[in-house]
Amino acid sequence: MKILIVEDEARMARLLRRGLQEEGHSVDVCETADAAAEQALLISYDVILLDWMLPDQDGVALLRSWRQKGLRTPVLMLTARGTTGEKVTGLRAGADDYMAKPFDFDELLARIEALARRGGAHERSAQLGNLTLDARRRVLQGPDGETPLTAREFELLSELGGHRGEVLTRSKLLSCVWGTEFEGSPNVVDVYIGYLRAKIEQLRGDGVSLQTVRGIGYRLVVDAQTEGSRR
Ligand code: CA
């Protein structure tokens, strides 16, 4: 599994990292909310361990902003606090589980595994013509092979695939995929549509097209005949 730890206490972060690595997991650590905010959106983690008290922003506020941006990764909150009211606040903000420090490492491990299983269950694969968008592995599979997608490519294709046949404006795509605070050029959407078209073509994606709607945006169209008929 790929796990992100957001924890400012160096000793705790080190213990968690070492323990999880010994179990064969790949671990990244962020020490501030600011560093974690973008990291969690860029890299597809199986589980995030989030400390409540961070130096720059509290963990609950960070979690709320992730959920508003559509991040669905399971999050387990770690905290020194243990009162029921705070646990409820954490869960309402979108936490999937909660553990008070000090905790038993084996119990933490069991809960992380349970969360990853649950998370995996909602990350379904989507069928786009004769292509399969595999959310779990973030790859696009065709009749003869597959190609990995970057996080942005994956988000963009998921967004268009989730609204197939509908025209999505560039500004809508920009805010869903790059976030409302993105300050670069909106042309980035066109560039990524180009990357996706090349990958679809390379995989011989029949019946799937990313159509340009001049002056407005894009739509994903799946030819009904190829839908579901994988060759
Ligand atoms: Ca802390």
Side-chain angles (χ1 to χ4, degrees):
M1 276 192 266
K2 211 164 163 46
I3 300 170
L4 176 65
I5 299 173
V6 188
E7 169 64 271
D8 58 310
E9 290 152 58
R11 197 176 146 268
M12 176 62 83
R14 211 166 39 237
L15 272 166
L16 285 171
R17 183 206 282 267
R18 193 175 305 151
L20 292 168
Q21 282 175 339
E22 278 170 10
E23 294 294 322
H25 301 304
S26 144
V27 180
D28 289 332
V29 176
C30 289
E31 290 170 13
T32 60
D34 189 41
E38 185 73 353
Q39 176 95 357
L41 300 173
L42 283 174
I43 297 178
S44 159
Y45 291 101
D46 296 294
V47 175
I48 298 173
L49 302 185
L50 175 62
D51 184 33
W52 188 299
M53 302 283 282
L54 294 166
D56 49 342
Q57 187 185 26
D58 78 55
V60 170
L62 173 60
L63 178 56
R64 225 173 250 133
S65 79
W66 277 339
R67 294 304 188 219
Q68 277 162 6
K69 287 175 184 158
L71 183 81
R72 292 164 66 198
T73 311
V75 172
L76 189 154
M77 290 212 68
L78 296 174
T79 175
R81 310 175 185 198
T83 69
T84 317
E86 276 154 351
K87 178 171 172 172
V88 170
T89 306
L91 295 172
R92 282 210 180 120
D96 298 274
D97 202 356
Y98 178 99
M99 278 193 93
K101 297 176 196 171
F103 48 77
D104 177 64
F105 186 76
D106 289 335
E107 186 185 348
L108 177 72
L109 202 59
R111 291 201 189 190
I112 290 173
E113 283 163 4
L115 282 182
R117 278 196 300 273
R118 239 202 275 165
H122 356 127
E123 285 194 6
R124 291 177 303 118
S125 292
Q127 194 69 35
L128 304 171
N130 64 345
L131 303 181
T132 305
L133 182 60
D134 181 340
R136 183 94 194 125
R137 294 171 47 234
R138 214 168 70 203
V139 297
L140 188 60
Q141 296 167 325
D144 307 318
E146 61 178 39
T147 183
L149 299 177
T150 64
R152 299 292 194 201
E153 289 170 348
F154 175 79
E155 292 295 328
L156 184 58
L157 191 55
S158 302
E159 192 59 31
L160 286 158
H163 296 89
R164 61 187 68 184
E166 259 176 68
V167 182
L168 299 182
T169 63
R170 272 196 186 149
S171 60
K172 159 95 176 149
L173 291 168
L174 204 58
S175 67
C176 290
V177 178
W178 281 267
T180 49
E181 284 161 23
F182 178 75
E183 284 174 352
S185 162
N187 293 338
V188 71
V189 175
D190 312 321
V191 172
Y192 275 77
I193 290 282
Y195 295 158
L196 285 173
R197 281 177 176 152
K199 289 189 172 179
I200 290 170
E201 189 182 348
Q202 175 206 330
L203 291 168
R204 302 195 298 110
D206 292 345
V208 191
S209 53
L210 293 174
Q211 299 178 344
T212 305
V213 181
R214 198 172 276 279
I216 305 176
Y218 293 96
R219 84 176 142 219
L220 183 144
V221 175
V222 177
D223 174 356
Q225 289 193 324
T226 60
E227 182 87 271
S229 66
R230 296 180 70 185
R231 291 177 307 166

